[in-house]
Amino acid sequence: MTSSSQGWLCLSCGHVEPTAGRQANAPAKPAPPAPAEPQSAPAGTPEPVLADTSGSGTAVTPPAAAEAPAVLASGFIDPRTPVATSMATARRLTFDRRQRRRVLLFWLVMALLIGGITAAGYLWVFEPRVALAGYLQRLVTARTATFASSATVAATGGTKITVTSTGQVDVRDQNHPKLDATVKAELGLSAGVALPGSSPTSGAIATQIKVIDQTFYFKLMQFTLSELIPVKLSDDWYMYKLEAAAGTCAKATGSSGSFLGTSMLTKIPVTHASFKGVDTIKGTPMLHFVGTMDNSKLQAAIDKANKHLSAECKLTVSADDYKNVSVTYELWRGWSADRLRVSIADSTSKTTADITLDSSGYSRPVTITAPSDTKDFTKVLQDLFSADATGTPPTTRHNVPPDTATTAQKARDTQRKADIDQLNGALANYFNNHQAYPVTLKGLTVRTENVPAVLAKLPADPTNKAPYTYVYAPVPDKTGAYRSYTLTSCLENGADVGLHVVDPVAPCKTATYQLQSSGE
């Protein structure tokens, strides 16, 4: 409230109350001081006049100029401002504030509208066509990941295989990848399908497997396929040295490691791709996309990918391989977890496959360690690969003598085979690092050019006396580089037969276990 000559001005409500109405309740106030006498103009100063424009010849004295309303720094009208002027100023200030709010609200709505249209266009038009490629690229660049997968393959004649697995992988060093997985498989055969030497049947197998530094570890947890595979195993851990050339492709392309490898085709052309909305998978919101592989553009994508790959990594898929194959997919993409479901149908073989892969934990730390107290799996593999369809073990030997070896001799021969297999895998790793084999086996234990040694210690024959020693014979090519070799070990059991067992090679006098590289 402030008073004026007309009454009291209510600044908050905008109306005037008469002075009389306030006198009864208002406390007595001292009379305002008398206004000062106006100062007279100095002598000789003429009065201000306006020029006569009416033609009467009479000068007009100008009226007193209206005093501009004063607005305080706080935004309120100065109480000394006349009431009518104060109300007009208040209205103008209120209108300015409302106008600014309308402008800000308008641009806020426009920004939300434009952002919404852009996001909708991205999800419904652009993203569906690149979602699969983005997911595959995410897998390829991941160094570590956890996964769960299921696959079902069905063919004419009643064959049906279902495989499920869970586990984790670590490929921070692609030359020494690590894997830890539990795998369960179920096999069913109808009356129209039978393997040689077996009857129509079905069964299941459950295993835990690990791959660490080119060594395969295997533990059997369930096995009901004895009619199909006549092998009996305990529930112990088995170990087998791999003859792997892992890392050859990475070495040629300069890759430092990935989940699936550099030779995987990630830019797969798709058609009929669309966005289906947001689904919740295992408690995680995910964007749902569907599509079909575009066979008409697949060969061009393969050719383009091969231009950037070395000879060791080139994709050898041709149009004839998939001309009768149709592939559809569903993809769910989340912040840290994804799911891909692929359905494959081959019209020629009447085979269908349905595969689902859940992956998560990309590039997070994982720990995969080798099991202890393992048994050699080499002998089991020899039993599997040395029997033909009739159950008769083939042999590369002639005039095999009767088996007179003792149990201790056979045990030492088993160790010799395992050692030769280990050396064979170590030589493959050495070649990946140096593009040639070492001059002697001792080179496997030497660190060179910032490349770690392949083996900490060389294995030795159980007796390590002539002729029972491991013989490594590298073979040079035209340039002098060693690109092939032969590894041999003498066996004490002269009646031993099986994979890689040959007639005696000097200095052996009974039988020889021999591995030969085919050259790189």
Side-chain angles (χ1 to χ4, degrees):
M1 279 293 179
T2 184
S3 69
S4 68
S5 60
Q6 301 178 17
W8 290 88
L9 171 63
C10 177
L11 294 180
S12 61
C13 55
H15 68 273
V16 180
E17 295 184 10
T19 304
R22 298 284 301 177
Q23 295 301 322
N25 299 324
K29 296 182 179 180
E37 293 294 333
Q39 299 292 329
S40 59
T45 303
E47 293 289 336
V49 297
L50 296 178
D52 181 14
T53 58
S54 62
S56 61
T58 303
V60 180
T61 302
E67 183 180 357
V71 179
L72 300 179
S74 61
F76 294 99
I77 301 173
D78 193 325
R80 294 168 295 181
T81 304
V83 174
T85 304
S86 301
M87 293 178 63
T89 303
R91 292 192 190 99
R92 186 174 70 252
L93 292 175
T94 302
F95 174 79
D96 289 344
R97 292 191 185 98
R98 290 177 180 175
Q99 185 69 12
R100 286 195 297 270
R101 290 172 183 168
R102 291 192 188 102
V103 171
L104 291 175
L105 181 61
F106 170 78
W107 284 112
L108 178 61
V109 172
M110 288 299 296
L112 292 175
L113 184 61
I114 294 173
I117 293 175
T118 302
Y122 178 82
L123 287 177
W124 266 272
V125 179
F126 178 75
E127 177 64 11
R129 292 191 170 274
V130 300
L132 180 61
Y135 164 72
L136 295 176
Q137 189 65 38
R138 186 176 190 174
L139 287 183
V140 167
T141 55
R143 303 297 181 85
T144 62
T146 59
F147 65 88
S149 66
S150 63
T152 300
V153 179
T156 55
T159 304
K160 184 178 180 180
I161 302 175
T162 301
V163 181
T164 60
S165 65
T166 58
Q168 58 185 5
V169 292
D170 182 353
V171 284
R172 285 172 289 185
D173 181 357
Q174 192 172 0
N175 289 326
H176 302 280
K178 296 180 180 180
L179 166 70
D180 186 3
T182 299
V183 182
K184 298 181 180 180
E186 295 182 358
L187 173 64
L189 300 177
S190 71
V193 178
L195 296 180
S198 66
S199 59
T201 186
S202 61
I205 182 173
T207 67
Q208 184 178 358
I209 61 175
K210 292 188 177 186
V211 178
I212 301 175
D213 293 337
Q214 305 303 332
T215 302
F216 176 80
Y217 299 94
F218 173 93
K219 181 179 182 180
L220 192 64
M221 296 183 293
Q222 179 187 6
F223 189 82
T224 60
L225 296 173
S226 57
E227 294 184 29
L228 293 175
I229 307 175
V231 176
K232 294 183 179 181
L233 295 174
S234 65
D235 58 355
D236 298 314
W237 278 102
Y238 290 86
M239 176 270 293
Y240 179 72
K241 294 293 182 178
L242 299 173
E243 300 178 16
T248 301
C249 179
K251 191 73 175 181
T253 58
S255 172
S256 58
S258 68
F259 182 14
L260 297 178
T262 55
S263 61
M264 179 179 175
L265 180 64
T266 58
K267 300 243 175 104
I268 297 179
V270 299
T271 183
H272 305 303
S274 61
F275 173 62
K276 291 299 183 181
V278 179
D279 297 339
T280 300
I281 307 295
K282 297 181 178 181
T284 301
M286 296 185 182
L287 303 179
H288 185 193
F289 304 93
V290 298
T292 302
M293 187 173 70
D294 191 348
N295 288 4
S296 64
K297 298 180 181 179
L298 184 58
Q299 190 59 50
I302 294 173
D303 294 339
K304 184 177 180 180
N306 279 337
K307 291 181 180 179
H308 306 286
L309 297 176
S310 64
E312 297 87 347
C313 307
K314 288 187 182 297
L315 303 169
T316 58
V317 182
S318 65
D320 290 337
D321 297 326
Y322 57 82
K323 65 180 180 181
N324 298 316
V325 176
S326 62
V327 180
T328 59
Y329 69 89
E330 288 186 271
L331 173 64
W332 291 266
R333 293 213 58 184
W335 181 258
S336 60
D338 303 309
R339 168 177 287 185
L340 175 66
R341 179 179 179 181
V342 178
S343 298
I344 305 171
D346 189 333
S347 59
T348 302
S349 63
K350 305 299 182 183
T351 301
T352 60
D354 191 89
I355 305 168
T356 300
L357 173 64
D358 288 287
S359 53
S360 61
Y362 304 110
S363 299
R364 295 178 182 174
V366 300
T367 301
I368 301 176
T369 58
S372 59
D373 299 329
T374 60
K375 294 183 178 181
D376 180 39
F377 194 53
T378 305
K379 188 64 169 63
V380 177
L381 294 179
Q382 290 174 350
D383 293 340
L384 287 176
F385 292 118
S386 62
D388 60 16
T390 63
T392 303
T395 178
T396 57
R397 303 186 59 198
H398 306 281
N399 301 320
V400 179
D403 189 352
T404 60
T406 65
T407 302
Q409 289 174 323
K410 293 179 180 179
R412 288 193 292 269
D413 285 346
T414 299
Q415 181 62 49
R416 292 180 177 108
K417 294 175 183 178
D419 289 346
I420 292 297
D421 291 340
Q422 180 185 13
L423 290 172
N424 189 58
L427 287 167
N429 290 336
Y430 186 96
F431 187 92
N432 292 335
N433 295 332
H434 302 279
Q435 306 306 305
Y437 294 111
V439 179
T440 65
L441 290 178
K442 189 176 180 180
L444 300 175
T445 63
V446 178
R447 176 187 177 94
T448 58
E449 300 177 359
N450 296 324
V451 178
V454 179
L455 292 177
K457 182 180 180 181
L458 291 176
D461 184 274
T463 58
N464 204 25
K465 295 180 181 179
Y468 299 106
T469 57
Y470 302 145
V471 179
Y472 165 66
V475 179
D477 61 8
K478 295 180 180 179
T479 65
Y482 295 107
R483 298 188 180 276
S484 62
Y485 63 86
T486 300
L487 267 175
T488 59
S489 173
C490 297
L491 303 179
E492 296 181 56
N493 182 13
D496 197 344
V497 294
L499 197 65
H500 305 308
V501 178
V502 297
D503 285 333
V505 176
C508 304
K509 298 180 180 180
T510 51
T512 298
Y513 187 70
Q514 185 178 74
L515 291 178
Q516 292 179 319
S517 69
S518 58
E520 298 291 341

